[in-house]
Amino acid sequence: MQLKLEEILNSRVDGLTKGIPAGAALPLGDVGKQGWRLLEGDVPLPAAVLKKSAIEHNVDWMRRFTELTGMRLCPHGKTSMSPQLFDRQLAAGAWGMTAATATHLHVYRRFGVQRILLANQLVDPEGLRFILSELKRDPEFDFYCLVDSTASVEILRNAVAESGCQRPIQVLVEIGQAGGRTGARTVDAAMEVARAAHRAAPHLALRGVEGFEGVLEGATPDQTMARIDRLLDEMSIVASQCDALDLFADGPIILSAGGSQFIDLPPSLQSRLATKREAIFVLRSGCYITHDSSWFSEYAKATALRMPSISQLGAGLRPAIEVWAYVQSLPEPGLAIVAMGKRDCSFDVHMPTPFAWFRAGSEKPAPLARHRVLRMNDQHAYLEVPPDSVLQVGDRVGFGIAHPCTTFDRWSVMLVIDDDYRVVDAIRTYF
Amino acid sequence: MQLKLEEILNSRVDGLTKGIPAGAALPLGDVGKQGWRLLEGDVPLPAAVLKKSAIEHNVDWMRRFTELTGMRLCPHGKTSMSPQLFDRQLAAGAWGMTAATATHLHVYRRFGVQRILLANQLVDPEGLRFILSELKRDPEFDFYCLVDSTASVEILRNAVAESGCQRPIQVLVEIGQAGGRTGARTVDAAMEVARAAHRAAPHLALRGVEGFEGVLEGATPDQTMARIDRLLDEMSIVASQCDALDLFADGPIILSAGGSQFIDLPPSLQSRLATKREAIFVLRSGCYITHDSSWFSEYAKATALRMPSISQLGAGLRPAIEVWAYVQSLPEPGLAIVAMGKRDCSFDVHMPTPFAWFRAGSEKPAPLARHRVLRMNDQHAYLEVPPDSVLQVGDRVGFGIAHPCTTFDRWSVMLVIDDDYRVVDAIRTYF
């Protein structure tokens, strides 16, 4: 399917937007035609940019991964909140898009996403009104959300009943674990929710079982995996019991797990499940589209160890986000202050990783080793530099990032570059 | 002075903007006329909102503080990046606005800010081109930035010389401290920079001395104050030496320090300085406009101890930002999951502080004690609740925040509410 992107491509950008030069005033869709060079002073820095080649590689890699494993992909759009990137994900065969909030639903529907899995409880009256009006308006709209308590079932049931909507809200029972986030904490609790959802027909339709393993943490990696293993077991038990009791509504049973840290979980879940009815397995990874330079890179290594067959896919995901900024001060030995901060780049998992530098007049960026970000303020980074550092005031430093979600949300427009650091496109985000 | 806000007030908002309901499509300036009630499901949550009465109180309090102390106020606009709030700050007598980045300069100039102190080294060629074109275009534009090395002086000097601009860039020498951020590390180093700036006439004009105490940290509060004390001493020594050597260009000497943590520093600096020429003292606090519920509140208490005369001003700054969100799950005893996360609220200093709750049908929010945010994910908060917690799934919880800067930058539009939680206005931010 294709999204309706004209509104975005025709929307105007100018120097009020971080990353766009002062004199510019043009449609977003024309940004790539200006011949701007990222590192030659054509655009203000700091700038967080997307590497076009890496995005294309990652989207294609994930398409091949889901083909290899027989999974459906329902990428979490919260990562980028960019319909232009959603469009690439859907064009590469994604089953639908995952959302988290009411505003996400507004954005997805505005640009034409037809299948949405809200991987969250929906209790916001405004969001409920919107979803019900969309279900009434568009018979092709296919919507799912989570329930993890009889209270969340009641809120949905009442909203559908009061709206007069003739189609049900489709729900998945969420399974959680003690100390985790949302989700029923035991098989018994989950079955109580499932029965409540079944009883709420025709207003609700119980369609599957969901879990999110990404927030489960053990004291060691083995203990983390043991907790995740238990989550998958409980998900398959609940799905089997619901199947045996005929609690599921018509259609294939939907089993969904797997953020970007554990993309191999839906296949693992598949191998545990035996239901009368057909089941489909939905992976919700969002961060794969840009990957990163440290956090998810480590998870990818662990995934490859758990799932050797992944090597069939060749080179893995590549980091697709870089942040570039100027050295503004070298105030004392061993320290450079760079004009980039918490407003420009994620800092919630790891500090950004300097990997390249560029000086005006150079042909291309050169690798930068042995430099390290110590900390960041709102608009500054403290860079530890070795005694023989090449850096001078005015040089550009390129950083890899950790955690795409908390980098994307610092930019309303991100420039897209080719491998020669020419600006070839731009995306808009909706945070 | 008054800013040109028509472009903002006429700009359209709709459900693509976080905090605005799905069906709405209206000029930003009309948001306050819709009769939306924040807590009654008229708008999607989470929503970060500004309390109108607290903003007005804070702006007036700071006006009275600067009158009491004889300071100039040049609020750091990076806090809100909202020209509508800048306008209030300037209308209350602010001397100018402080900025941090090239894009800040674009925004400030677009809406008519006539005096800008860029409290940063300016090395970005795009930013330099813009500032020089503005200096050429508008003889009333009064611009200052920082230098802390001869390299930063050279970059500015060359840019002015090449531009053919007939007016100088006015500079302040920045004084820093070992282990701090930017700024010359010794009096000798600062004097070398000052002499270089003086020699760079007519392209540069040395106008003053600057320091930022907010990044200095000692092992104890007393050690922090000792470091700050030394910074102020060095600033006054450098200013006195530059004055004695006639390095300053025409006009009053500008001495600037003081973020929101230490608003009493410029007065303290004033008491140390003896120069032949008149000096003015510029406070750069930005966060005062919204204050907060924990971090800056603690600093305000310490300020009152250091400066008893502040009690003349009556009630101090009030927290003006609240974030409201739904309880989406009560998955296990002692835990509520709230639909608000790192995308909606600052988390870099302290977690947000739950202080009130509301249930549909209630007359008004009620206080909420003994609840505490344990941690946040991108879109979720983990709320520790007591055994007798009143909270049910679907209830609203109101949070105070720590660090306004990293809350503002998560919202492109923020709703403004009255004391009855009616939406009476909206502001746009430019991050």
Side-chain angles (χ1 to χ4, degrees), chain A residues 148 173-178 183-195 209 230-242 245 247:
Chain A
D148 70 346
V173 174
E174 182 170 37
I175 314 294
Q177 279 206 356
R185 293 301 197 248
T186 63
V187 168
D188 287 350
M191 289 306 300
E192 187 188 341
V193 178
R195 280 188 292 266
V209 179
R230 200 181 126 212
L231 178 73
L232 299 186
D233 276 344
E234 293 185 351
M235 287 176 65
S236 68
I237 293 168
V238 171
S240 299
Q241 292 192 9
C242 289
L245 295 168
L247 300 183

Side-chain angles (χ1 to χ4, degrees), chain A residues 342-343 347 378, chain B residues 48 79 260-261 287-288 290-299 319-323 340-342 344-355 373 376 398-411:
Chain A
K342 295 183 203 169
R343 254 91 183 265
F347 60 93
D378 290 352
Chain B
T79 296
S260 297
Q261 293 140 304
C287 291
Y288 78 90
T290 62
H291 203 54
D292 70 15
S293 301
S294 50
W295 195 38
F296 286 113
S297 301
E298 290 302 314
Y299 281 109
I321 299 181
E322 298 179 4
V323 182
M340 171 198 71
K342 296 183 202 169
D344 310 305
C345 185
S346 58
F347 61 93
D348 55 330
V349 178
H350 301 305
M351 288 290 135
T353 315
F355 74 96
V373 175
M376 293 201 289
F399 297 86
I401 62 111
H403 201 186
C405 303
T406 46
T407 299
F408 271 111
D409 66 13
R410 280 142 181 74
W411 296 84

Side-chain angles (χ1 to χ4, degrees), chain A residues 7 14-16 18-22 41-45 78-79 100-104 106-107 110-111 120-121 123-126 129-130 148 151 155 177-183 185 215 326-329 331-332 335 337 342-343 347-348 375 377-380 382 393 396 403 405-406 409-410 430-431, chain B residues 7 14-16 18-22 41-45 78-79 100-104 106-107 110-111 120-121 123-126 129-130 148 151 155 177-183 185 215 326-329 331-332 335 337 342-343 347-348 375 377-380 382 393 396 403 405-406 409-410 430-431:
Chain A
E7 178 180 352
D14 61 25
L16 295 181
K18 198 166 66 162
I20 303 293
D42 293 340
V43 301
L45 301 184
K78 82 177 173 86
T79 295
T101 73
T103 296
H104 292 178
H106 304 171
V107 174
R110 172 79 149 263
F111 297 105
N120 231 343
Q121 288 70 34
V123 301
D124 183 337
E126 195 279 339
R129 276 200 310 276
F130 174 67
D148 70 346
I155 287 171
Q177 279 206 356
R181 199 163 72 188
T182 47
R185 293 301 197 248
V215 291
Y326 289 102
V327 176
Q328 67 179 97
S329 182
E332 62 186 62
L335 182 67
I337 303 297
K342 295 183 203 169
R343 254 91 183 265
F347 60 93
D348 54 331
R375 63 185 180 280
N377 297 151
D378 290 352
Q379 318 273 178
H380 299 85
Y382 296 68
V393 172
R396 291 79 164 148
H403 201 185
C405 305
T406 45
D409 66 13
R410 280 143 180 75
Y430 293 91
F431 288 103
Chain B
E7 177 181 350
D14 61 26
L16 296 181
K18 197 166 67 162
I20 303 294
D42 293 340
V43 301
L45 301 184
K78 83 177 173 83
T79 296
T101 73
T103 297
H104 292 178
H106 304 171
V107 174
R110 173 80 148 261
F111 298 104
N120 231 343
Q121 287 70 37
V123 302
D124 183 337
E126 194 278 341
R129 277 199 310 276
F130 174 66
D148 70 347
I155 287 171
Q177 278 206 356
R181 198 163 72 187
T182 47
R185 292 301 196 249
V215 291
Y326 289 101
V327 176
Q328 66 178 97
S329 182
E332 62 186 59
L335 181 68
I337 303 296
K342 296 183 202 169
R343 254 89 186 265
F347 61 93
D348 55 330
R375 61 186 183 279
N377 297 150
D378 291 352
Q379 317 274 177
H380 299 84
Y382 296 69
V393 173
R396 291 78 165 150
H403 201 186
C405 303
T406 46
D409 66 13
R410 280 142 181 74
Y430 293 90
F431 289 103

Side-chain angles (χ1 to χ4, degrees), chain A residues 266-414:
Chain A
S268 167
L269 187 56
Q270 185 173 29
S271 67
R272 295 166 205 237
L273 195 74
T275 50
K276 299 178 289 186
R277 180 142 3 144
E278 181 201 359
I280 61 174
F281 295 84
V282 175
L283 169 65
R284 299 195 307 278
S285 172
C287 291
Y288 78 89
I289 192 164
T290 62
H291 203 56
D292 71 13
S293 301
S294 50
W295 195 37
F296 286 111
S297 301
E298 291 302 313
Y299 280 109
K301 288 180 200 161
T303 303
L305 291 176
R306 288 193 303 270
M307 188 181 171
S309 62
I310 214 168
S311 66
Q312 296 173 35
L313 302 176
L317 297 171
R318 294 182 198 155
I321 298 181
E322 298 179 4
V323 182
W324 283 84
Y326 289 102
V327 176
Q328 67 179 97
S329 182
L330 295 165
E332 62 186 62
L335 182 67
I337 303 297
V338 178
M340 170 198 71
K342 295 183 203 169
R343 254 91 183 265
D344 309 305
C345 185
S346 57
F347 60 93
D348 54 331
V349 179
H350 301 306
M351 288 292 135
T353 316
F355 74 95
W357 71 287
F358 181 86
R359 182 168 297 157
S362 307
E363 196 177 324
K364 59 181 186 179
L368 187 69
R370 297 177 297 121
H371 290 62
R372 182 169 71 101
V373 176
L374 300 170
R375 63 185 180 280
M376 292 201 289
N377 297 151
D378 290 352
Q379 318 273 178
H380 299 85
Y382 296 68
L383 190 64
E384 182 184 68
V385 306
D388 59 346
S389 173
V390 292
L391 294 180
Q392 297 178 5
V393 172
D395 286 343
R396 291 79 164 148
V397 179
F399 297 85
I401 62 110
H403 201 185
C405 305
T406 45
T407 299
F408 270 111
D409 66 13
R410 280 143 180 75
W411 297 84
S412 60
V413 167
M414 281 172 81

Side-chain angles (χ1 to χ4, degrees), chain A residues 72-92:
Chain A
R72 263 65 164 192
L73 178 66
C74 190
H76 210 317
K78 82 177 173 86
T79 295
S80 73
M81 282 308 292
S82 178
Q84 292 156 282
L85 296 181
F86 300 174
D87 189 56
R88 290 174 180 239
Q89 295 172 305
L90 291 165

